[in-house]
């Protein structure tokens, strides 16, 4: 069994544990990175499940009304912003799925280190968690 530094670093990045814990998990799983991550975080959900859940919460917020735009932030930087218009509302009604797919794809592309926010017409924001 050959445990590489890259494998240890990947486990550390994905789980937030230190070097020693990551290496121990890899030793227990014979160097299998995915199995080591699951060993450390047995209750973790699939990333796609998290994105679907966030999009469902987002749709609910838009349905409530008073939403001006949806934005994705990484740190303090806005990396994606889309106004809420007829196309987005159509997505809620099932007429057009493309805007939701675009938002979900953006969340996935920018990773879990980003925040999904709803900007209301009065300028306040609500984070979708």
């Amino acid at each position: 069994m050959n445990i590489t530094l890259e494998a240890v670093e990947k486990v550390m990045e994905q789980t937030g544990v230190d070097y020693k814990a990551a290496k121990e998990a890899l030793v227990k799983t014979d160097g299998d990175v995915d199995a080591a991550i699951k060993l450390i975080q047995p209750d973790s959900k699939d990333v796609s499940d998290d994105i679907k859940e966030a999009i469902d919460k987002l749709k609910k917020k838009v349905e409530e009304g008073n939403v001006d735009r949806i934005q994705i932030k990484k740190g303090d930087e806005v990396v994606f912003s889309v106004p809420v218009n007829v196309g987005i509302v159509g997505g809620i009604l099932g007429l057009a799925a493309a805007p939701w797919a675009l938002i979900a794809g953006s969340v996935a592309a920018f990773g879990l280190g980003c925040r999904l926010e709803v900007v209301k017409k009065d300028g306040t924001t609500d984070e979708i968690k």
Side-chain angles (χ1 to χ4, degrees):
M1 166 181 54
N2 185 18
I3 297 174
T4 64
L5 181 58
E6 291 81 15
V8 174
E9 288 175 346
K10 185 171 182 179
V11 172
M12 289 171 59
E13 285 175 20
Q14 295 288 320
T15 61
V17 298
D18 63 7
Y19 179 88
K20 182 180 177 185
K23 186 168 182 184
E24 286 174 2
L26 284 164
V27 168
K28 289 179 183 176
T29 60
D30 293 325
D32 185 336
V33 173
D34 292 331
I37 291 169
K38 287 181 182 178
L39 179 67
I40 294 169
Q41 297 178 331
D43 296 328
S44 65
K45 293 191 289 186
D46 189 351
V47 172
S48 63
D49 292 341
D50 290 338
I51 293 170
K52 287 176 189 173
E53 186 177 315
I55 294 300
D56 288 341
K57 289 179 182 178
L58 179 61
K59 285 181 180 180
K60 204 172 240 186
K61 279 280 188 193
V62 172
E63 285 175 348
E64 292 171 6
N66 194 30
V67 176
D68 185 48
R69 74 180 171 275
I70 299 163
Q71 60 189 22
I72 298 171
K73 289 179 110 177
K74 189 160 189 158
D76 290 331
E77 180 184 355
V78 176
V79 292
F80 180 78
S81 182
V82 61
V84 175
N85 59 24
V86 177
I88 295 288
V89 174
I92 292 172
L93 301 175
L95 301 175
W100 298 116
L102 180 63
I103 292 167
S106 298
V107 171
F110 291 113
L112 296 177
C114 64
R115 294 186 326 266
L116 185 58
E117 294 182 339
V118 172
V119 180
K120 295 181 179 180
K121 292 180 180 173
D122 64 4
T124 60
T125 60
D126 284 340
E127 185 175 348
I128 304 296
K129 295 181 182 183

